[in-house]
Amino acid sequence: MHSVISYPDRGHWGDSKWRGNCSGHVYQDLFRQLQPSTFVDPMVGSGTSVEVAKEMSIKAWGLDLHQGFNAVTDSILLTVGEQVDLCLSHPPYGPMIVYSGSVWGSEPNPADLSRCGSNQEFHEKMQLVLLNQRDATKPQGFYGTIIGDYRKNGTYTSYQAEMIARMPSDELAAVIIKQQHNCVSDSRSYSKLALPRIMHEYILLWQKKSGPLLVLLGTMAREQHSRLTGTWKSIIGLVMQRLRGKASLEQIYQEVARAAPQKLAVNPNWKAKVRQVLNSTGMFSSPERGLWMLAA
Ligand SMILES: C[S@@+](CC[C@H](N)C(=O)[O-])C[C@H]1O[C@@H](n2cnc3c(N)ncnc32)[C@H](O)[C@@H]1O
């Protein structure tokens, strides 16, 4: 298996009429590559993944909201009763395909991930789903998701980038690009489109390291914290570039206030934060009292 895959034919597994279904060949390739003995799909849809797994003599479970299982709130591990070698989801993303009250059921279900009120809600719920999947995975086993990107009204949302940023970076194992075929959008006219049409999805795989959950949460919190510090460093670095590499503390405050008003609104101690970043990150030096430079 390579990191770029393409299957124009979806095979005989699952239901070709189930909107947003995935080619069975994707699962077949992944199972051949990862050799799981046990597998769970917590958003099984029309059942493609589990049909492929069973055909390959892999013990498999398929769960879905349409059966009453909510991957955001219900433990996959407790539902299945054992940890598995591979736990792979294929969530709805963006409002492109709405499931409850449309593909299945007569009423909208508020737990339906295709009915999230905002991208932020989806990103946060999917982080919890991925941690749920990880919990149901054996140490050294794999968990992951099949997800695409979405552009609407000129705004590009990269769900996969959000997921990678929210999960432990030392567990990321593979990013596979899957070409998309037979999308509903294929039939629409895009003659005036200024940017390339999205014709791919991602398969993201993480490999679970052993160790207690609290250690993992500590690692994730540290990673998020260092990203935030990194953002502050970059903002102050940009400000210093604009000030030609050398400035007084007062000039830096003024430029930061201009450059990052939203950040400042949520951090009332921002001047202390600026001083902390200047003093502690090694990116800046002070040749004389009250004057700061970008370090070489
Ligand atoms: C893209 S489809 C999966 C398609 C599947 N791979 C196939 O080939 O048929 C996404 C599925 O996620 C399910 N879903 C949405 N929200 C969910 C939730 N909170 N918990 C579990 N399943 C959910 C939907 O019902 C839908 O069946």
Side-chain angles (χ1 to χ4, degrees):
M1 187 176 191
H2 300 279
S3 62
V4 180
I5 58 176
S6 174
Y7 303 104
D9 161 40
R10 67 173 309 285
H12 61 273
W13 309 275
D15 180 354
S16 59
K17 290 191 205 68
W18 187 273
R19 290 205 57 209
N21 70 78
C22 179
S23 164
H25 294 289
V26 171
Y27 296 104
Q28 202 176 43
D29 260 14
L30 281 169
F31 296 153
R32 282 190 186 131
Q33 181 76 40
L34 302 174
Q35 297 282 309
S37 300
T38 48
F39 166 74
V40 180
D41 183 339
M43 300 175 196
V44 76
S46 69
T48 312
S49 60
V50 167
E51 282 181 32
V52 177
K54 292 197 167 153
E55 216 175 81
M56 295 172 76
S57 305
I58 297 164
K59 189 174 168 192
W61 293 263
L63 311 168
D64 199 289
L65 193 62
H66 64 62
Q67 315 162 352
F69 175 82
N70 179 357
V72 182
T73 55
D74 301 330
S75 161
I76 301 168
L77 176 59
L78 294 182
T79 307
V80 164
E82 62 182 84
Q83 286 186 321
V84 292
D85 298 314
L86 174 63
C87 183
L88 185 68
S89 59
H90 181 202
Y93 51 91
M96 247 172 309
I97 301 175
V98 174
Y99 284 89
S100 59
S102 175
V103 173
W104 55 261
S106 51
E107 299 282 326
N109 185 323
D112 183 353
L113 285 163
S114 67
R115 289 190 176 273
C116 287
S118 65
N119 279 331
Q120 186 63 18
E121 182 187 337
F122 180 78
H123 300 323
E124 286 171 10
K125 285 185 167 171
M126 272 311 296
Q127 183 182 30
L128 187 48
V129 169
L130 287 170
L131 288 172
N132 192 3
Q133 288 180 230
R134 183 185 184 277
D135 203 35
T137 304
K138 288 180 188 166
Q140 305 311 319
F142 292 91
Y143 61 99
T145 195
I146 304 175
I147 190 86
D149 289 339
Y150 183 59
R151 187 191 287 113
K152 190 168 185 203
N153 300 332
T155 302
Y156 192 101
T157 306
S158 182
Y159 298 104
Q160 58 95 20
E162 294 285 342
M163 288 180 188
I164 290 176
R166 282 171 161 78
M167 294 306 287
S169 59
D170 63 345
E171 294 196 355
L172 185 64
V175 176
I176 298 162
I177 314 280
K178 164 184 170 288
Q179 189 178 347
Q180 263 185 301
H181 302 275
N182 308 320
C183 319
V184 169
S185 56
D186 287 356
S187 54
R188 295 189 195 132
S189 165
Y190 284 88
S191 52
K192 290 196 183 135
L193 205 64
L195 292 161
R197 180 143 52 112
I198 300 169
M199 291 295 293
H200 68 283
E201 288 181 314
Y202 302 85
I203 301 166
L204 308 178
L205 291 174
W206 289 266
Q207 185 166 27
K208 180 176 174 175
K209 297 208 165 149
S210 42
L213 188 60
L214 273 180
V215 174
L216 167 86
L217 295 181
T219 308
M220 288 169 68
R222 263 195 310 281
E223 283 181 0
Q224 296 305 339
H225 181 260
S226 88
R227 266 197 198 99
L228 186 59
T229 304
T231 305
W232 269 104
K233 242 163 82 171
S234 301
I235 287 173
I236 298 173
L238 176 69
V239 157
M240 293 295 271
Q241 287 170 359
R242 283 190 191 163
L243 293 169
R244 301 186 185 284
K246 203 179 203 180
S248 70
L249 193 55
E250 209 40 56
Q251 285 174 305
I252 296 170
Y253 287 154
Q254 282 172 15
E255 275 298 306
V256 169
R258 263 206 291 270
Q262 279 174 342
K263 253 194 182 311
L264 299 194
V266 295
N267 187 346
N269 302 316
W270 66 273
K271 286 190 178 177
K273 185 71 195 171
V274 169
R275 287 194 300 277
Q276 186 212 338
V277 171
L278 286 169
N279 277 303
S280 64
T281 57
M283 194 165 160
F284 309 96
S285 63
S286 179
E288 60 189 81
R289 203 176 155 73
L291 200 63
W292 286 94
M293 288 174 69
L294 258 177

